[in-house]
Structure formats: structure tokens, C-alpha cells
Amino acid sequence: MFSAKTTNTSLALAVSAVLATTSSQAIPIAPNHTSDSTLSNGTLLLAYNVGEWETYTNSKYTYSDAELLANYWDKPTPWDAKLKIGSLIKAGDDAAVANALRGARANAPQAYVEQQQWDAYANSKYTYSDAELLAAYWGKSTPWDAKLKIGRLIKAGDDAAVAWALAQANVEQQQWEAYTNSKYTYSDAELLAAYWGKSTHWDAKLKIGRLIKAGDDAAVAQALQQARANAPQASVEQQQWEAYTNSKYTYSDA
């Protein structure tokens, strides 16, 4: 019967013999998909194609790329895709990897696409407040949707479009605040939207704010006076009704 010491010594000698005769070196390979440097049960697996591995690790391709390509190339694990990436690059065929990756991304599940966009946003200079502003500016329902659009533009190399939109959103935010801090009401904005030919009262509010910020409150007052003079009777009565409901007078008084 062999002792534990004898067994361990024999195993060590066997591994040494393999290392001495193989043309490749031993590298740690993770059996799972989360880390290529983690050892499983302290075991070193021998890679006959360490050259392909090193070529992959020195390339621009990421673990996420390898995951996508493993599925695209019908490989059992991302590790196999990494070796194929390395093999193609070593053969001078980086274009084949790039073409395959484009195809894989085009067919990628929506969850993967959104994760890539989220990662691009999360690693950018843009904040949650920026996403909130841009959500309103882009007409998105939530800041999350704006974050994904930020990430999509960044990944497309169009960071300038994000910066421009954010600058515009900040300007609109300032105009909106100037309007909300003014004496003008929602009904005023509705009247002025029609008078100025704006598609929505929101656009009229922004113009009110823009004029106020420019120190031209008189232009707003004059436009509102003319808008009221030209308003339909229904609008006039609506204005009168709102003036009453916002007053101190009660139903009994009326």
C-alpha cells in the first residue's frame, strides 16, 4: 500500500516529467466562466496551446466578446472561443474575429446588448443627474432609458452627440426654471403656444423662460396681452373661471 507521502511524491514527479517533455508551458485555467486565473481545487491544467491563450490575452477582445463568440462559433465554453481568437490572430486573420464578433453582436440577445450599453454608460463621465436631464430632453420614460442611449452613443463613438444633447438639456432646464419662478401660469402658456405657433404648451413655457432670462419680460407680457385679445370666448371664460377658483371667494359668495 502506498502512503500519502509516496503518492504525492509520485504525482509531483509525473507532473515534472510532463512539463519537461511538453513543448508548451503550464498555465492556470479556470473551469468556470468567471475568471481565467482562478485555480480549480488547486490543480494546474496543461495547455498545449498556450500561445493562442497569450495572443488572446494581449488582444483587444474581452471576456464578453469571448462569451458571444463561444455561442456564435458553437464552442462549449468561452475558453474555447478565446483559443480560437488567439489562433486566428496568430494566423494574421484578426479580420475574421472582427467579422464574427459583428455577426455575434447583431444576433445577440437584447439583455446582452443592454448590458453593454449600461457598462459604457457606467464607465463614462456622465452622472445620474445627466441621465435625468437627458431622459426629459430625449422624451424617455425613465433615466434608465437615457442611460442606455448614452451607452449606445458612446459605443458608436458619438460621445459628442451626448455632450451636445446634455448642453441643450441644461439650457432647457434653466428656461423651465425661469418660467416656473415667474408669474405666468399654465393657461398663459397654452394661450401663448397658440399665439406663437408652438406645437405644445411646453415649448411656450421654454420660450417664456428664454425671454425672461434674456431680460425681455415685456415681450412676454405684450404677447400675452395680444393672445388674450385674440382668444376665443371659451378660452376667455376658462381664464375667468381659473381666476375665481384660485381666489379667496367661495361657492356661497358666488
Side-chain angles (χ1 to χ4, degrees):
M1 180 178 294
F2 293 103
S3 67
K5 181 177 180 181
T6 302
T7 302
N8 289 338
T9 301
S10 300
L11 178 60
L13 290 172
V15 171
S16 298
V18 171
L19 291 175
T21 57
T22 185
S23 59
S24 299
Q25 59 181 333
I27 61 171
I29 304 171
N32 55 49
H33 297 177
T34 58
S35 171
D36 293 312
S37 60
T38 305
L39 294 181
S40 171
N41 301 322
T43 303
L44 277 176
L45 302 180
L46 300 180
Y48 70 92
N49 37 18
V50 66
E52 283 78 2
W53 163 256
E54 289 178 343
T55 303
Y56 158 76
T57 57
N58 292 325
S59 74
K60 63 187 175 184
Y61 300 104
T62 66
Y63 180 83
S64 296
D65 295 336
E67 278 190 309
L68 268 180
L69 287 171
N71 182 65
Y72 187 75
W73 282 331
D74 198 24
K75 297 292 185 182
T77 67
W79 164 258
D80 299 291
K82 292 174 183 178
L83 294 184
K84 182 168 180 177
I85 292 170
S87 176
L88 288 168
I89 293 173
K90 283 188 66 176
D93 201 5
D94 189 288
V97 183
N99 288 335
L101 190 55
R102 275 194 294 272
R105 285 173 176 164
N107 298 321
Q110 184 61 26
Y112 171 84
V113 173
E114 290 189 355
Q115 181 63 44
Q116 294 289 301
Q117 293 168 352
W118 164 257
D119 289 343
Y121 158 75
N123 293 323
S124 75
K125 62 187 176 184
Y126 300 105
T127 66
Y128 181 83
S129 297
D130 295 335
E132 279 189 309
L133 270 178
L134 288 170
Y137 181 76
W138 283 329
K140 300 294 184 182
S141 55
T142 66
W144 167 260
D145 299 303
K147 291 175 183 178
L148 294 183
K149 183 169 181 178
I150 291 170
R152 182 164 67 252
L153 288 169
I154 291 172
K155 282 181 64 63
D158 202 3
D159 189 286
V162 183
W164 183 87
L166 186 58
Q168 293 298 113
N170 274 306
V171 169
E172 289 194 0
Q173 178 67 19
Q174 292 169 10
Q175 293 169 349
W176 163 255
E177 289 174 355
Y179 159 75
T180 55
N181 293 325
S182 75
K183 62 188 176 184
Y184 300 104
T185 66
Y186 179 87
S187 297
D188 295 336
E190 280 190 309
L191 271 178
L192 286 170
Y195 182 76
W196 283 329
K198 300 292 184 183
S199 56
T200 67
H201 57 81
W202 167 260
D203 299 301
K205 290 174 182 177
L206 294 183
K207 183 169 180 177
I208 292 170
R210 182 164 67 253
L211 289 168
I212 291 172
K213 280 181 61 65
D216 201 6
D217 190 289
V220 183
Q222 183 179 2
L224 186 57
Q225 185 179 14
Q226 293 173 349
R228 285 171 176 164
N230 298 327
Q233 183 60 29
S235 177
V236 172
E237 290 185 356
Q238 179 64 28
Q239 294 282 309
Q240 294 167 346
W241 165 256
E242 289 179 357
Y244 158 72
T245 55
N246 293 324
S247 73
K248 62 186 177 182
Y249 301 104
T250 65
Y251 179 82
S252 298
D253 296 333

